[in-house]
Amino acid sequence: MAAALSLASRYEKFTSGVFDGVADNLPGWSEPMSELNLQSLWFAGEFGRDFTSTDGRRIVLRDFGIWNHAAGPDFTGCALQCGDEILRGDIELDPDARDWERHGHGGNENYERVVLHLFTQAPEARMFTRTAAHREVIQVFLKPEMLREAARPRRMAEVRLGRCATPLREMESAQVASLVEAAAQFRLRRKSEKLQALSHIHGREQAVYQSLANALGYRHNQRAFTILTQRLPLKALLKHDALEREALLFGVSGFLESVRYEDTEPETRTYLRELWSRWWKQRNAYVNWLEEPNRPRWQVAGARPGNHPQRRLGAMCVMLGSWKKIFAFLRTAKAWNRKNFSTVLLALEHDYWSRHYTLKSEPATQSIALVGGTRVQEMLANVVYPLLVSERGELWAEFMEQPSMLDNQKVRRAALRLFGVDPRVRGFQKRLYQQQGLLQIYEDYCLEDDSACEGCPFPEKMKEWRT
Ligand code: SF4
């Protein structure tokens, strides 16, 4: 990857340290993050896997286990290394160290196998975690700076012209182009590292499945999709037939509980009956995940009909039906074929979801693409090329050829802040990699700056950038 992404390191050097100290004041961290999101970040390895316990011992996670859907600790079947010893058991994650006692885990035999207690807040006076049998449990205090940078909570930047627009306008096009390309390479490299870490923890196939689902959730339901795929791993789902899989995904997502037969169209009722015929037999096992606060948060308000999470979940079900074919392109970089990959995705159809936007909508008059061109581009930018360029460097050139996404609010916001009315702005957004580069600069500078551009170093720093 080093040769293919030779500009990435230059951009990293260019940007490193410009906003040092910001992690101490991460937005959203002073308010406790929801327990569900913390669990999801933990299980995705976003906090890393190498820790120091509250009593100073080195703890290395060897197996993150599985997300437990029954009563008891959050994750079961885990393994961690403490010194020379491998400890096998369960992991409990609480927002506050005191939750262990508040929730009665200390007297509950279901928690007897817990080997690690994680929390993000703790009282000043040290408190210990003990099981019903008075065994002391290792504690790890999760802190915001442990989170992988891209997973940290972010502020939103205002939609307005930035201070850098003038110096950028004065910069030669070739230099701007090279800066944008460098930022795009850096972004791809970071995504690649994340995918590799996820593959290392959960296997390549699960990492791809989770990441493709995340792309289906773009923009408001990415976390919810991630949680669903973390809870219902690929390997387990593929053991079921298509209807059983669909019933599980729609059941565990909570969507089946959210509609009443009497509010739906006849075609929907038939579809719901099919799903419920399988779901009711399994529902009891997952009831814990359907209750607050364990239910994933789906954001539906303001979503375009085509982006509704129910429809996207329908798309995911169909993708799983063709999983062997889809994953065959991603099993190794040698097997990659962009045209065929896109053709498979664009041709996916579903008896119900190819004609419905939601479980409550009336049937559409025409068939609607389940996975459209923009979704495919999202997958190319966030999953495929980050996964494969690290294994086959020449794919960077192929990535550079991909056209930009038509509809990306964040890119529009970034372009306005950085370029304003510079007539060259279109030229710097024509390709997918350029959009990725703009997003990276926007995230590294605009989202870190809290001085309304005044103290942002980018306008001065960019003068250092020479092709
Ligand atoms: S925060 Fe920095 S990079 Fe963003 S618009 Fe302002 S000056 Fe430009």
Side-chain angles (χ1 to χ4, degrees):
M1 173 143 80
L5 302 182
S6 55
L7 285 170
S9 304
R10 202 177 151 203
Y11 179 82
E12 183 177 22
K13 218 165 135 199
F14 173 77
T15 298
S16 73
V18 291
F19 284 105
D20 269 357
V22 73
D24 298 337
N25 188 25
L26 287 173
W29 197 257
S30 49
E31 310 258 317
M33 195 184 273
S34 87
E35 189 170 343
L36 188 58
N37 281 356
L38 280 170
Q39 289 169 345
S40 173
L41 289 168
W42 163 262
F43 199 47
E46 300 280 17
F47 283 99
R49 54 194 313 175
D50 200 332
F51 305 94
T52 303
S53 66
T54 51
D55 59 1
R57 287 179 284 171
R58 183 172 177 219
I59 306 297
V60 181
L61 255 292
R62 294 293 177 210
D63 189 337
F64 281 70
I66 57 166
W67 199 324
N68 181 22
H69 56 76
D74 297 318
F75 303 100
T76 56
C78 313
L80 53 96
Q81 185 166 357
C82 177
D84 293 335
E85 203 184 354
I86 298 283
L87 301 171
R88 293 180 198 283
D90 306 335
I91 294 177
E92 174 67 6
L93 192 160
D94 290 315
D96 193 303
R98 288 165 289 195
D99 292 338
W100 179 269
E101 290 304 330
R102 284 176 188 152
H103 299 160
H105 302 334
N108 184 338
E109 286 180 0
N110 285 334
Y111 289 77
E112 197 52 62
R113 281 180 46 80
V114 171
V115 287
L116 180 62
H117 184 209
L118 306 161
F119 43 82
T120 55
Q121 293 187 332
E124 254 178 53
R126 175 146 188 236
M127 55 168 301
F128 298 89
T129 302
R130 288 187 191 282
T131 65
H134 301 293
R135 177 176 54 83
E136 188 179 338
V137 178
I138 297 171
Q139 299 173 320
V140 166
F141 197 154
L142 297 176
K143 302 202 171 136
E145 58 270 28
M146 292 176 183
L147 265 181
R148 209 176 48 81
E149 211 176 311
R152 291 176 189 167
R154 298 274 195 174
R155 303 175 184 89
M156 284 296 285
E158 278 176 59
V159 185
R160 59 167 180 76
L161 186 63
R163 189 167 70 84
C164 56
T166 308
L168 258 176
R169 203 166 41 231
E170 288 160 4
M171 204 165 156
E172 277 178 32
S173 295
Q175 284 172 14
V176 181
S178 117
L179 178 57
V180 171
E181 186 183 345
Q185 287 193 1
F186 177 71
R187 188 174 182 82
L188 185 121
R189 195 179 74 185
R190 277 232 305 231
K191 286 180 179 175
S192 169
E193 286 162 0
K194 180 187 167 182
L195 264 162
Q196 282 170 16
L198 195 59
S199 301
H200 198 52
I201 294 173
H202 296 293
R204 183 178 180 104
E205 207 163 349
Q206 173 69 18
V208 169
Y209 155 66
Q210 245 174 258
S211 309
L212 291 177
N214 189 283
L216 284 173
Y218 184 81
R219 175 164 70 101
H220 299 298
N221 290 297
Q222 288 176 289
R223 180 56 56 197
F225 264 97
T226 299
I227 290 169
L228 192 60
T229 50
Q230 286 174 315
R231 285 175 163 181
L232 294 176
L234 181 76
K235 216 166 158 189
L237 280 179
L238 291 183
K239 285 184 189 152
H240 298 293
D241 64 37
L243 183 59
E244 188 91 4
R245 240 182 353 246
E246 204 156 324
L248 263 173
L249 284 161
F250 274 89
V252 170
S253 69
F255 288 142
L256 288 186
E257 322 269 327
S258 69
V259 279
R260 298 185 317 167
Y261 275 108
E262 48 273 40
D263 296 337
T264 59
E265 295 285 312
E267 213 178 315
T268 302
R269 272 176 235 172
T270 308
Y271 177 54
L272 286 176
R273 251 194 306 273
E274 282 179 3
L275 293 183
W276 269 102
S277 72
R278 299 295 188 97
W279 171 237
W280 74 266
K281 294 176 209 158
Q282 317 215 43
R283 190 180 176 279
N284 266 353
Y286 296 97
V287 76
N288 188 32
W289 283 348
L290 299 174
E291 289 168 359
E292 288 298 343
N294 301 326
R295 258 203 330 224
R297 298 255 165 279
W298 297 100
Q299 195 172 321
V300 294
R304 283 188 191 164
N307 297 347
H308 195 285
Q310 290 174 352
R311 189 176 155 65
R312 294 273 176 87
L313 187 53
M316 197 169 102
C317 293
V318 186
M319 282 174 67
L320 288 173
S322 295
W323 183 255
K324 266 193 181 164
K325 231 193 241 180
I326 294 170
F327 187 65
F329 294 111
L330 304 170
R331 194 177 291 282
T332 66
K334 270 192 187 159
W336 173 242
N337 183 312
R338 192 203 55 75
K339 195 163 168 250
N340 293 351
F341 176 78
S342 305
T343 305
V344 168
L345 289 175
L346 294 171
L348 292 174
E349 286 184 357
H350 186 281
D351 285 349
Y352 180 83
W353 287 111
S354 290
R355 298 212 330 120
H356 288 82
Y357 289 108
T358 75
L359 288 168
K360 284 191 189 158
S361 64
E362 290 182 8
T365 47
Q366 287 180 344
S367 174
I368 332 146
L370 265 181
V371 179
T374 308
R375 229 43 19 238
V376 173
Q377 282 171 305
E378 193 75 43
M379 292 173 186
L380 292 179
N382 292 308
V383 189
V384 174
Y385 289 108
L387 182 75
L388 302 182
V389 170
S390 61
E391 297 161 359
R392 206 175 124 196
E394 67 267 29
L395 287 178
W396 173 253
E398 184 183 296
F399 182 42
M400 285 180 78
E401 292 297 311
Q402 303 311 311
S404 58
M405 283 187 250
L406 299 176
D407 176 31
N408 192 313
Q409 266 186 40
K410 240 165 108 182
V411 174
R412 280 204 297 275
R413 188 179 285 238
L416 171 68
R417 286 184 67 100
L418 301 172
F419 289 101
V421 291
D422 187 333
R424 298 174 304 171
V425 66
R426 278 180 179 274
F428 295 123
Q429 292 182 77
K430 277 190 177 153
R431 303 277 169 209
L432 194 52
Y433 84 93
Q434 292 173 314
Q435 291 189 327
Q436 293 292 305
L438 291 184
L439 284 175
Q440 190 61 43
I441 297 170
Y442 172 73
E443 285 174 12
D444 285 339
Y445 290 91
C446 305
L447 297 193
E448 297 291 350
D449 172 64
D450 57 4
S451 68
C453 291
E454 187 83 20
C456 171
F458 186 62
E460 286 72 36
K461 268 193 84 70
M462 74 173 85
K463 292 175 196 148
E464 294 167 17
W465 192 270
R466 296 276 175 269
T467 49

Short mmCIF file of all heavy atoms in Angstrom, two decimals, residues 303-351:
data_model
loop_
_atom_site.label_atom_id
_atom_site.label_comp_id
_atom_site.label_asym_id
_atom_site.label_seq_id
_atom_site.Cartn_x
_atom_site.Cartn_y
_atom_site.Cartn_z
N ALA A 303 -36.16 11.34 6.45
CA ALA A 303 -35.46 10.50 5.46
C ALA A 303 -36.26 10.46 4.17
O ALA A 303 -37.49 10.41 4.20
CB ALA A 303 -35.28 9.09 6.00
N ARG A 304 -35.56 10.48 3.04
CA ARG A 304 -36.26 10.29 1.77
C ARG A 304 -36.87 8.90 1.75
O ARG A 304 -36.27 7.97 2.31
CB ARG A 304 -35.25 10.38 0.62
CG ARG A 304 -34.85 11.76 0.33
CD ARG A 304 -34.02 11.75 -0.92
NE ARG A 304 -33.42 13.05 -1.08
CZ ARG A 304 -32.42 13.29 -1.87
NH1 ARG A 304 -31.90 12.33 -2.58
NH2 ARG A 304 -31.94 14.50 -1.98
N PRO A 305 -38.00 8.72 1.05
CA PRO A 305 -38.63 7.38 1.06
C PRO A 305 -37.64 6.28 0.66
O PRO A 305 -37.59 5.22 1.29
CB PRO A 305 -39.76 7.51 0.04
CG PRO A 305 -40.03 8.98 -0.06
CD PRO A 305 -38.76 9.70 0.28
N GLY A 306 -36.82 6.55 -0.35
CA GLY A 306 -35.88 5.51 -0.83
C GLY A 306 -34.80 5.18 0.18
O GLY A 306 -34.14 4.15 0.08
N ASN A 307 -34.59 6.08 1.16
CA ASN A 307 -33.54 5.85 2.15
C ASN A 307 -34.09 5.31 3.46
O ASN A 307 -33.35 5.20 4.44
CB ASN A 307 -32.81 7.17 2.47
CG ASN A 307 -32.12 7.73 1.26
OD1 ASN A 307 -31.97 7.04 0.26
ND2 ASN A 307 -31.70 8.99 1.33
N HIS A 308 -35.36 5.02 3.49
CA HIS A 308 -35.96 4.54 4.75
C HIS A 308 -35.24 3.27 5.22
O HIS A 308 -34.97 2.37 4.42
CB HIS A 308 -37.45 4.27 4.53
CG HIS A 308 -38.22 4.15 5.80
ND1 HIS A 308 -38.14 3.03 6.60
CD2 HIS A 308 -39.05 5.00 6.45
CE1 HIS A 308 -38.92 3.20 7.68
NE2 HIS A 308 -39.48 4.40 7.60
N PRO A 309 -34.93 3.18 6.52
CA PRO A 309 -34.15 2.01 6.97
C PRO A 309 -34.86 0.67 6.74
O PRO A 309 -34.18 -0.35 6.59
CB PRO A 309 -33.94 2.28 8.47
CG PRO A 309 -34.90 3.34 8.85
CD PRO A 309 -35.17 4.14 7.62
N GLN A 310 -36.18 0.67 6.71
CA GLN A 310 -36.87 -0.62 6.46
C GLN A 310 -36.55 -1.11 5.05
O GLN A 310 -36.30 -2.29 4.81
CB GLN A 310 -38.39 -0.44 6.62
CG GLN A 310 -38.78 -0.21 8.07
CD GLN A 310 -40.25 0.11 8.25
OE1 GLN A 310 -40.99 0.31 7.29
NE2 GLN A 310 -40.68 0.18 9.50
N ARG A 311 -36.56 -0.18 4.14
CA ARG A 311 -36.25 -0.52 2.74
C ARG A 311 -34.79 -0.95 2.59
O ARG A 311 -34.46 -1.91 1.90
CB ARG A 311 -36.53 0.72 1.90
CG ARG A 311 -36.47 0.48 0.48
CD ARG A 311 -36.85 1.73 -0.29
NE ARG A 311 -36.22 1.64 -1.58
CZ ARG A 311 -36.52 0.71 -2.47
NH1 ARG A 311 -37.46 -0.15 -2.22
NH2 ARG A 311 -35.89 0.66 -3.62
N ARG A 312 -33.93 -0.23 3.29
CA ARG A 312 -32.50 -0.59 3.24
C ARG A 312 -32.26 -1.96 3.87
O ARG A 312 -31.39 -2.70 3.43
CB ARG A 312 -31.68 0.48 3.98
CG ARG A 312 -31.69 1.86 3.32
CD ARG A 312 -30.57 1.94 2.29
NE ARG A 312 -30.58 3.19 1.57
CZ ARG A 312 -29.95 4.29 1.98
NH1 ARG A 312 -29.29 4.29 3.11
NH2 ARG A 312 -29.97 5.37 1.24
N LEU A 313 -33.05 -2.26 4.89
CA LEU A 313 -32.90 -3.58 5.49
C LEU A 313 -33.40 -4.66 4.52
O LEU A 313 -32.82 -5.74 4.43
CB LEU A 313 -33.69 -3.64 6.81
CG LEU A 313 -33.51 -4.89 7.66
CD1 LEU A 313 -32.03 -5.19 7.93
CD2 LEU A 313 -34.25 -4.77 8.98
N GLY A 314 -34.45 -4.32 3.78
CA GLY A 314 -34.92 -5.23 2.73
C GLY A 314 -33.80 -5.49 1.74
O GLY A 314 -33.55 -6.63 1.31
N ALA A 315 -33.06 -4.42 1.40
CA ALA A 315 -31.92 -4.56 0.47
C ALA A 315 -30.86 -5.49 1.07
O ALA A 315 -30.27 -6.33 0.37
CB ALA A 315 -31.33 -3.19 0.16
N MET A 316 -30.64 -5.34 2.37
CA MET A 316 -29.62 -6.17 3.00
C MET A 316 -30.03 -7.65 2.96
O MET A 316 -29.19 -8.54 2.74
CB MET A 316 -29.42 -5.72 4.44
CG MET A 316 -28.14 -6.24 5.02
SD MET A 316 -27.79 -5.43 6.56
CE MET A 316 -28.28 -6.70 7.68
N CYS A 317 -31.32 -7.91 3.17
CA CYS A 317 -31.80 -9.30 3.12
C CYS A 317 -31.51 -9.90 1.74
O CYS A 317 -31.06 -11.05 1.63
CB CYS A 317 -33.30 -9.35 3.39
SG CYS A 317 -33.71 -8.87 5.07
N VAL A 318 -31.75 -9.11 0.70
CA VAL A 318 -31.51 -9.63 -0.65
C VAL A 318 -30.02 -9.82 -0.89
O VAL A 318 -29.60 -10.79 -1.53
CB VAL A 318 -32.09 -8.65 -1.70
CG1 VAL A 318 -31.97 -9.25 -3.08
CG2 VAL A 318 -33.53 -8.39 -1.41
N MET A 319 -29.23 -8.90 -0.38
CA MET A 319 -27.77 -9.05 -0.54
C MET A 319 -27.31 -10.35 0.12
O MET A 319 -26.44 -11.05 -0.40
CB MET A 319 -27.04 -7.85 0.08
CG MET A 319 -27.07 -6.62 -0.82
SD MET A 319 -26.35 -5.16 -0.04
CE MET A 319 -24.64 -5.63 0.07
N LEU A 320 -27.90 -10.66 1.26
CA LEU A 320 -27.51 -11.91 1.94
C LEU A 320 -27.90 -13.13 1.11
O LEU A 320 -27.21 -14.15 1.13
CB LEU A 320 -28.14 -11.97 3.33
CG LEU A 320 -27.51 -11.00 4.34
CD1 LEU A 320 -28.30 -11.00 5.64
CD2 LEU A 320 -26.05 -11.35 4.60
N GLY A 321 -29.01 -13.00 0.36
CA GLY A 321 -29.43 -14.10 -0.52
C GLY A 321 -28.40 -14.34 -1.62
O GLY A 321 -28.30 -15.44 -2.16
N SER A 322 -27.66 -13.29 -1.99
CA SER A 322 -26.64 -13.44 -3.05
C SER A 322 -25.25 -13.29 -2.46
O SER A 322 -24.31 -12.85 -3.14
CB SER A 322 -26.82 -12.34 -4.11
OG SER A 322 -28.04 -12.50 -4.76
N TRP A 323 -25.12 -13.60 -1.19
CA TRP A 323 -23.87 -13.28 -0.49
C TRP A 323 -22.63 -13.94 -1.12
O TRP A 323 -21.59 -13.31 -1.27
CB TRP A 323 -23.97 -13.66 0.99
CG TRP A 323 -22.73 -13.27 1.72
CD1 TRP A 323 -21.73 -14.07 2.15
CD2 TRP A 323 -22.32 -11.92 2.02
NE1 TRP A 323 -20.72 -13.33 2.71
CE2 TRP A 323 -21.06 -12.01 2.63
CE3 TRP A 323 -22.88 -10.66 1.81
CZ2 TRP A 323 -20.35 -10.88 3.07
CZ3 TRP A 323 -22.18 -9.53 2.23
CH2 TRP A 323 -20.93 -9.65 2.85
N LYS A 324 -22.77 -15.21 -1.49
CA LYS A 324 -21.60 -15.92 -2.04
C LYS A 324 -21.07 -15.17 -3.25
O LYS A 324 -19.87 -14.98 -3.41
CB LYS A 324 -22.01 -17.34 -2.45
CG LYS A 324 -21.75 -18.35 -1.38
CD LYS A 324 -21.86 -19.73 -1.97
CE LYS A 324 -21.62 -20.75 -0.87
NZ LYS A 324 -22.07 -22.05 -1.26
N LYS A 325 -22.01 -14.75 -4.12
CA LYS A 325 -21.63 -14.05 -5.33
C LYS A 325 -20.96 -12.70 -5.00
O LYS A 325 -19.95 -12.33 -5.58
CB LYS A 325 -22.91 -13.77 -6.12
CG LYS A 325 -22.88 -14.20 -7.56
CD LYS A 325 -24.05 -13.57 -8.25
CE LYS A 325 -24.99 -14.58 -8.80
NZ LYS A 325 -26.13 -14.00 -9.48
N ILE A 326 -21.54 -11.99 -4.04
CA ILE A 326 -21.04 -10.65 -3.70
C ILE A 326 -19.66 -10.76 -3.04
O ILE A 326 -18.72 -10.08 -3.41
CB ILE A 326 -22.04 -9.91 -2.78
CG1 ILE A 326 -23.34 -9.62 -3.55
CG2 ILE A 326 -21.46 -8.62 -2.22
CD1 ILE A 326 -24.48 -9.12 -2.71
N PHE A 327 -19.57 -11.65 -2.08
CA PHE A 327 -18.30 -11.75 -1.35
C PHE A 327 -17.18 -12.33 -2.21
O PHE A 327 -16.00 -12.06 -1.96
CB PHE A 327 -18.49 -12.56 -0.06
CG PHE A 327 -17.26 -12.56 0.81
CD1 PHE A 327 -16.81 -11.37 1.39
CD2 PHE A 327 -16.53 -13.71 1.02
CE1 PHE A 327 -15.67 -11.33 2.17
CE2 PHE A 327 -15.37 -13.69 1.80
CZ PHE A 327 -14.95 -12.50 2.38
N ALA A 328 -17.58 -13.09 -3.25
CA ALA A 328 -16.55 -13.67 -4.13
C ALA A 328 -15.67 -12.57 -4.73
O ALA A 328 -14.48 -12.78 -4.98
CB ALA A 328 -17.21 -14.47 -5.25
N PHE A 329 -16.23 -11.37 -4.94
CA PHE A 329 -15.44 -10.26 -5.49
C PHE A 329 -14.47 -9.67 -4.46
O PHE A 329 -13.56 -8.92 -4.80
CB PHE A 329 -16.36 -9.12 -5.96
CG PHE A 329 -17.22 -9.49 -7.13
CD1 PHE A 329 -18.59 -9.62 -6.98
CD2 PHE A 329 -16.66 -9.72 -8.37
CE1 PHE A 329 -19.40 -9.96 -8.05
CE2 PHE A 329 -17.46 -10.06 -9.46
CZ PHE A 329 -18.83 -10.19 -9.30
N LEU A 330 -14.73 -9.96 -3.19
CA LEU A 330 -13.98 -9.29 -2.12
C LEU A 330 -13.14 -10.24 -1.28
O LEU A 330 -12.42 -9.83 -0.38
CB LEU A 330 -14.96 -8.55 -1.19
CG LEU A 330 -15.86 -7.53 -1.91
CD1 LEU A 330 -16.96 -7.03 -1.01
CD2 LEU A 330 -15.02 -6.36 -2.41
N ARG A 331 -13.23 -11.52 -1.63
CA ARG A 331 -12.49 -12.52 -0.85
C ARG A 331 -10.99 -12.26 -0.98
O ARG A 331 -10.25 -12.30 -0.01
CB ARG A 331 -12.83 -13.93 -1.36
CG ARG A 331 -12.41 -15.03 -0.44
CD ARG A 331 -12.85 -16.38 -0.97
NE ARG A 331 -14.28 -16.59 -0.93
CZ ARG A 331 -14.97 -16.90 0.16
NH1 ARG A 331 -14.32 -17.05 1.30
NH2 ARG A 331 -16.27 -17.07 0.12
N THR A 332 -10.55 -11.95 -2.20
CA THR A 332 -9.15 -11.55 -2.40
C THR A 332 -9.15 -10.40 -3.40
O THR A 332 -10.10 -10.25 -4.18
CB THR A 332 -8.30 -12.69 -3.02
OG1 THR A 332 -8.81 -12.92 -4.35
CG2 THR A 332 -8.35 -13.97 -2.23
N ALA A 333 -8.10 -9.59 -3.39
CA ALA A 333 -8.03 -8.45 -4.30
C ALA A 333 -7.95 -8.91 -5.76
O ALA A 333 -8.39 -8.21 -6.66
CB ALA A 333 -6.82 -7.58 -3.95
N LYS A 334 -7.43 -10.11 -5.97
CA LYS A 334 -7.30 -10.63 -7.33
C LYS A 334 -8.67 -10.87 -7.97
O LYS A 334 -8.84 -10.78 -9.18
CB LYS A 334 -6.55 -11.97 -7.30
CG LYS A 334 -5.06 -11.80 -7.43
CD LYS A 334 -4.44 -13.16 -7.67
CE LYS A 334 -2.94 -13.02 -7.63
NZ LYS A 334 -2.31 -14.28 -7.35
N ALA A 335 -9.64 -11.22 -7.13
CA ALA A 335 -10.97 -11.58 -7.65
C ALA A 335 -11.81 -10.35 -7.99
O ALA A 335 -12.90 -10.46 -8.51
CB ALA A 335 -11.70 -12.42 -6.60
N TRP A 336 -11.30 -9.17 -7.68
CA TRP A 336 -12.10 -7.94 -7.83
C TRP A 336 -12.42 -7.63 -9.29
O TRP A 336 -11.56 -7.70 -10.16
CB TRP A 336 -11.36 -6.76 -7.19
CG TRP A 336 -12.04 -5.45 -7.44
CD1 TRP A 336 -11.52 -4.39 -8.11
CD2 TRP A 336 -13.36 -5.07 -7.04
NE1 TRP A 336 -12.43 -3.37 -8.15
CE2 TRP A 336 -13.58 -3.76 -7.50
CE3 TRP A 336 -14.38 -5.71 -6.34
CZ2 TRP A 336 -14.77 -3.08 -7.28
CZ3 TRP A 336 -15.57 -5.03 -6.12
CH2 TRP A 336 -15.74 -3.74 -6.58
N ASN A 337 -13.70 -7.29 -9.52
CA ASN A 337 -14.12 -6.82 -10.84
C ASN A 337 -15.23 -5.78 -10.61
O ASN A 337 -16.34 -6.14 -10.25
CB ASN A 337 -14.64 -8.01 -11.67
CG ASN A 337 -15.03 -7.57 -13.06
OD1 ASN A 337 -15.74 -6.59 -13.25
ND2 ASN A 337 -14.55 -8.31 -14.05
N ARG A 338 -14.90 -4.53 -10.78
CA ARG A 338 -15.84 -3.45 -10.41
C ARG A 338 -17.15 -3.55 -11.18
O ARG A 338 -18.23 -3.41 -10.63
CB ARG A 338 -15.19 -2.08 -10.62
CG ARG A 338 -16.00 -0.96 -10.00
CD ARG A 338 -15.73 0.37 -10.63
NE ARG A 338 -15.92 0.39 -12.06
CZ ARG A 338 -17.11 0.40 -12.68
NH1 ARG A 338 -18.22 0.39 -11.98
NH2 ARG A 338 -17.18 0.41 -13.99
N LYS A 339 -17.02 -3.77 -12.48
CA LYS A 339 -18.22 -3.77 -13.32
C LYS A 339 -19.18 -4.91 -12.88
O LYS A 339 -20.37 -4.69 -12.70
CB LYS A 339 -17.79 -3.96 -14.78
CG LYS A 339 -18.87 -3.62 -15.74
CD LYS A 339 -18.32 -3.41 -17.14
CE LYS A 339 -19.49 -3.38 -18.10
NZ LYS A 339 -19.54 -4.52 -18.96
N ASN A 340 -18.63 -6.07 -12.71
CA ASN A 340 -19.49 -7.21 -12.35
C ASN A 340 -20.08 -7.05 -10.95
O ASN A 340 -21.23 -7.41 -10.69
CB ASN A 340 -18.72 -8.53 -12.44
CG ASN A 340 -18.36 -8.85 -13.88
OD1 ASN A 340 -18.83 -8.17 -14.80
ND2 ASN A 340 -17.52 -9.85 -14.08
N PHE A 341 -19.27 -6.49 -10.03
CA PHE A 341 -19.75 -6.26 -8.66
C PHE A 341 -20.96 -5.32 -8.71
O PHE A 341 -22.01 -5.60 -8.12
CB PHE A 341 -18.62 -5.64 -7.84
CG PHE A 341 -18.99 -5.24 -6.43
CD1 PHE A 341 -19.10 -6.21 -5.42
CD2 PHE A 341 -19.20 -3.91 -6.09
CE1 PHE A 341 -19.42 -5.84 -4.12
CE2 PHE A 341 -19.52 -3.54 -4.79
CZ PHE A 341 -19.63 -4.51 -3.80
N SER A 342 -20.83 -4.21 -9.44
CA SER A 342 -21.93 -3.24 -9.54
C SER A 342 -23.14 -3.88 -10.20
O SER A 342 -24.27 -3.68 -9.77
CB SER A 342 -21.51 -2.01 -10.35
OG SER A 342 -20.37 -1.46 -9.79
N THR A 343 -22.89 -4.66 -11.25
CA THR A 343 -24.01 -5.28 -11.98
C THR A 343 -24.81 -6.18 -11.05
O THR A 343 -26.04 -6.15 -11.04
CB THR A 343 -23.48 -6.10 -13.18
OG1 THR A 343 -22.68 -5.23 -13.96
CG2 THR A 343 -24.60 -6.65 -14.02
N VAL A 344 -24.12 -6.97 -10.23
CA VAL A 344 -24.82 -7.88 -9.31
C VAL A 344 -25.68 -7.06 -8.34
O VAL A 344 -26.86 -7.35 -8.12
CB VAL A 344 -23.81 -8.76 -8.53
CG1 VAL A 344 -24.48 -9.48 -7.37
CG2 VAL A 344 -23.16 -9.76 -9.46
N LEU A 345 -25.09 -6.00 -7.78
CA LEU A 345 -25.84 -5.22 -6.78
C LEU A 345 -27.03 -4.48 -7.40
O LEU A 345 -28.13 -4.46 -6.84
CB LEU A 345 -24.92 -4.21 -6.09
CG LEU A 345 -23.90 -4.81 -5.12
CD1 LEU A 345 -22.98 -3.74 -4.59
CD2 LEU A 345 -24.60 -5.51 -3.96
N LEU A 346 -26.79 -3.89 -8.56
CA LEU A 346 -27.86 -3.08 -9.18
C LEU A 346 -29.03 -3.94 -9.65
O LEU A 346 -30.15 -3.45 -9.80
CB LEU A 346 -27.30 -2.28 -10.36
CG LEU A 346 -26.28 -1.18 -9.98
CD1 LEU A 346 -25.61 -0.61 -11.22
CD2 LEU A 346 -26.93 -0.07 -9.19
N ALA A 347 -28.77 -5.24 -9.86
CA ALA A 347 -29.83 -6.11 -10.38
C ALA A 347 -30.65 -6.78 -9.27
O ALA A 347 -31.59 -7.51 -9.55
CB ALA A 347 -29.21 -7.18 -11.27
N LEU A 348 -30.30 -6.52 -8.01
CA LEU A 348 -31.00 -7.22 -6.92
C LEU A 348 -32.48 -6.83 -6.86
O LEU A 348 -32.83 -5.65 -7.01
CB LEU A 348 -30.34 -6.90 -5.57
CG LEU A 348 -28.93 -7.44 -5.37
CD1 LEU A 348 -28.34 -6.93 -4.07
CD2 LEU A 348 -28.91 -8.97 -5.39
N GLU A 349 -33.31 -7.83 -6.63
CA GLU A 349 -34.76 -7.58 -6.56
C GLU A 349 -35.37 -8.36 -5.41
O GLU A 349 -34.83 -9.37 -4.97
CB GLU A 349 -35.43 -8.04 -7.86
CG GLU A 349 -35.15 -7.11 -9.00
CD GLU A 349 -35.89 -7.52 -10.26
OE1 GLU A 349 -36.56 -8.57 -10.24
OE2 GLU A 349 -35.78 -6.79 -11.25
N HIS A 350 -36.50 -7.85 -4.95
CA HIS A 350 -37.21 -8.51 -3.85
C HIS A 350 -38.70 -8.40 -4.14
O HIS A 350 -39.18 -7.33 -4.55
CB HIS A 350 -36.86 -7.79 -2.54
CG HIS A 350 -37.41 -8.43 -1.32
ND1 HIS A 350 -38.72 -8.30 -0.92
CD2 HIS A 350 -36.82 -9.22 -0.38
CE1 HIS A 350 -38.92 -8.97 0.21
NE2 HIS A 350 -37.78 -9.54 0.56
N ASP A 351 -39.43 -9.50 -3.91
CA ASP A 351 -40.87 -9.51 -4.23
C ASP A 351 -41.60 -8.34 -3.60
O ASP A 351 -42.47 -7.72 -4.21
CB ASP A 351 -41.52 -10.81 -3.73
CG ASP A 351 -41.15 -11.98 -4.61
OD1 ASP A 351 -40.59 -11.72 -5.68
OD2 ASP A 351 -41.41 -13.13 -4.20
#
